[in-house]
């Protein structure tokens, strides 16, 4: 069975601070995909990144960066110089690859509050 | 490019009544998913379609939930009869994924918020 754990239920930081959201996953598959989604107060899930299990390179996109470590089954997300607009619930998710079902298994989410 | 469309946005019903939700995926997306998101939790997959065929419905409570995607485009999710614990946001997502291809990112609609009283 697949499982995603986001141990941080809520994080509150002051604007311009850096913040890291943790994600730990469990799967028996050798090929899989990891995702991060943002859910702002409006409720719509916004896709941020997809990473496959064979690519352990870290990725940076503007103020966002992701650290994938297969050895610890973690896929952490860092926001540098946080802004109030980053306030949202962030979900880490795990999906299968290859043919067949690829519905996502989500963690419970981390509510990020950026205070001005 | 238009995103995933869902309707209605909100619905309030009494327990034991029936309700239906509609989803129109992004044009050209072969795969469609329905998720249930209970307050304070992450979304949970209910059913996955590829074109008009069901790929995975292992977590769909089939005694009361049903879904169809007859022409491989729009989809309808129905609950009959509803229970109090069905109160949640029902999210539809779509992806480019075709048969035998790798997984793609899923794009989500705004959801339908269902309240069962």
């Amino acid at each position: 069975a697949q499982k995603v754990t986001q141990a941080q239920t809520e994080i509150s930081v002051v604007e311009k601070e850096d913040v890291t959201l943790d994600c730990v996953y469990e799967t028996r598959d050798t090929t899989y995909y990891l995702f991060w989604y943002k859910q702002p107060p409006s409720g719509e899930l916004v896709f941020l990144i997809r990473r496959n299990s064979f690519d352990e390179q870290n990725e940076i996109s503007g103020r966002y960066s992701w650290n994938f470590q297969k050895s610890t089954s973690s896929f952490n997300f860092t926001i540098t110089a946080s802004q109030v607009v980053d306030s949202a619930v962030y979900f880490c998710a795990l999906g299968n690859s290859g043919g067949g079902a690829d519905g996502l298994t989500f963690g419970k989410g981390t509510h990020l509050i950026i205070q001005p | 490019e238009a995103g995933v469309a869902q309707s209605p946005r909100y619905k309030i019903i009494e327990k034991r009544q029936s309700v239906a939700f509609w989803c129109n995926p992004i044009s050209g997306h072969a795969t469609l998913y329905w998720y249930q998101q209970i307050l304070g939790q992450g979304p949970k997959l209910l059913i996955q379609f590829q074109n008009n065929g069901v790929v995975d419905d292992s977590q769909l409570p089939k005694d009361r939930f049903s879904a169809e995607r007859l022409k491989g485009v729009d989809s309808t999710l129905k609950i009959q009869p509803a229970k109090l614990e069905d109160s949640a946001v029902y999210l539809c997502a779509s992806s480019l994924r075709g048969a035998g291809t790798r997984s793609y990112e899923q794009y989500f609609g705004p959801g339908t918020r269902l309240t069962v009283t």
Side-chain angles (χ1 to χ4, degrees):
Chain A
Q2 297 189 319
K3 185 178 180 182
V4 175
T5 301
Q6 294 180 257
Q8 303 149 311
T9 303
E10 183 173 291
I11 300 175
S12 180
V13 300
V14 177
E15 197 172 22
K16 297 183 184 177
E17 288 185 9
D18 299 347
V19 58
T20 295
L21 310 182
D22 297 333
C23 173
V24 174
Y25 63 91
E26 296 175 29
T27 180
R28 294 181 180 177
D29 296 330
T30 55
T31 304
Y32 50 89
Y33 285 86
L34 294 163
F35 300 78
W36 276 93
Y37 283 85
K38 174 182 180 180
Q39 189 171 47
S42 61
E44 193 156 342
L45 279 161
V46 177
F47 168 77
L48 296 178
I49 189 171
R50 181 190 71 219
R51 177 52 53 91
N52 78 51
S53 53
F54 293 110
D55 183 2
E56 288 193 70
Q57 280 192 334
N58 291 334
E59 181 156 342
I60 298 175
S61 176
R63 296 184 296 107
Y64 296 170
S65 62
W66 291 269
N67 180 263
F68 176 30
Q69 291 197 335
K70 222 168 173 178
S71 60
T72 56
S73 297
S74 65
F75 186 44
N76 296 336
F77 173 32
T78 297
I79 301 175
T80 303
S82 60
Q83 299 176 2
V84 173
V85 293
D86 296 326
S87 296
V89 179
Y90 290 85
F91 290 97
C92 180
L94 171 66
N96 293 321
S97 181
D102 70 341
L104 300 180
T105 298
F106 283 82
K108 292 187 175 182
T110 297
H111 184 199
L112 178 62
I113 301 168
I114 310 296
Q115 299 178 3
Chain B
E1 178 181 274
V4 176
Q6 291 188 247
S7 68
R9 292 296 310 277
Y10 305 92
K11 190 74 177 179
I12 301 174
I13 62 172
E14 295 182 352
K15 59 183 178 183
R16 291 188 288 273
Q17 287 187 326
S18 63
V19 64
F21 314 126
W22 174 82
C23 172
N24 182 246
I26 293 173
S27 178
H29 280 197
T31 301
L32 184 148
Y33 313 79
W34 284 101
Y35 290 84
Q36 178 193 58
Q37 186 177 18
I38 293 173
L39 186 66
Q41 298 184 19
K44 183 184 87 170
L45 178 73
L46 292 175
I47 189 167
Q48 175 186 348
F49 292 95
Q50 193 162 80
N51 297 308
N52 60 353
V54 175
V55 176
D56 182 6
D57 63 357
S58 57
Q59 299 188 89
L60 186 73
K62 298 180 186 64
D63 57 334
R64 299 183 299 105
F65 286 64
S66 64
E68 60 184 15
R69 194 185 183 199
L70 294 177
K71 297 183 180 179
V73 180
D74 295 5
S75 177
T76 303
L77 176 70
K78 297 179 181 177
I79 307 175
Q80 182 179 13
K83 292 185 175 181
L84 294 176
E85 58 260 38
D86 298 331
S87 294
V89 175
Y90 290 85
L91 296 163
C92 179
S94 70
S95 81
L96 274 170
R97 185 179 191 185
T101 64
R102 64 178 178 86
S103 184
Y104 286 85
E105 54 267 32
Q106 298 176 23
Y107 293 93
F108 285 79
T112 297
R113 183 176 298 275
L114 174 67
T115 302
V116 182
T117 63

